[in-house]
Amino acid sequence: MDNKDIGLTHIAFSVKDLDDSLAFYEKFADMKVIHRRGERATDARPVAWISDLTRHFAIVLVENPESADTQLGPFGHLGVACKSKEEMDAKLQLARADGVLRKEPVDSGPPVGYWAFLDDPDGNTLELSYGQEISYLIENN
């Protein structure tokens, strides 16, 4: 068996309401559930693995309404690159309407690009960006 799951494979954190978090990450980060287990009112906590299906990487969300986990932020964040500046601006318009845009977009030039911060339902930070040059930097190291 060829093991493609090597290196960085996931990040995991607790969320207060799994369904709220899933809706947020689907809307703003184009993430889809790739695995789900556990049910409310049982001993197994609801868990969902989500991915944008572009690489072998997942975010693992574990529902824990009583969680005292530290929030990811204000600077610590998940970064999601958009296909175009127009796509990003459309998502930022939705974020403004939903009241979840924390920091208006900034264009920091290469290699950082155009970026903005959003708040997820638990106060974790999601960065949307366009024009970051991570693949270029990796390929040239």
Side-chain angles (χ1 to χ4, degrees):
M1 178 171 92
D2 181 24
N3 187 356
K4 295 179 182 180
D5 294 336
I6 58 173
L8 185 63
T9 60
H10 70 279
I11 184 170
F13 50 90
S14 295
V15 298
K16 301 239 185 258
D17 184 293
L18 185 59
D19 293 329
D20 286 349
S21 293
L22 292 175
F24 175 87
Y25 285 102
E26 181 178 347
K27 183 175 190 175
F28 294 110
D30 298 322
M31 300 261 175
K32 300 184 180 7
V33 174
I34 59 171
H35 172 73
R36 191 169 182 164
R37 66 178 184 275
E39 297 179 27
R40 291 180 180 90
T42 68
D43 289 338
R45 292 196 187 280
V47 175
W49 296 9
I50 59 176
S51 174
D52 62 8
L53 307 178
T54 62
R55 63 192 51 80
H56 301 135
F57 185 82
I59 298 173
V60 178
L61 303 175
V62 180
E63 186 174 87
N64 183 0
E66 297 84 36
S67 175
D69 252 357
T70 304
Q71 292 178 359
L72 184 60
F75 176 75
H77 59 272
L78 300 172
V80 172
C82 296
K83 293 176 187 169
S84 68
K85 187 175 182 291
E86 293 75 23
E87 176 193 25
M88 184 174 153
D89 286 339
K91 288 183 181 191
L92 295 178
Q93 190 64 24
L94 291 172
R96 282 184 197 95
D98 287 359
V100 298
L101 182 62
R102 178 186 304 160
K103 179 170 180 50
E104 287 288 339
V106 173
D107 192 339
S108 297
V112 178
Y114 182 65
W115 60 276
F117 283 159
L118 284 65
D119 283 320
D120 85 356
D122 292 283
N124 295 303
T125 303
L126 174 69
E127 177 194 73
L128 295 182
S129 68
Y130 173 72
Q132 289 190 346
E133 298 178 344
I134 294 171
S135 62
Y136 173 80
L137 296 170
I138 290 172
E139 291 167 4
N140 290 286
N141 267 302

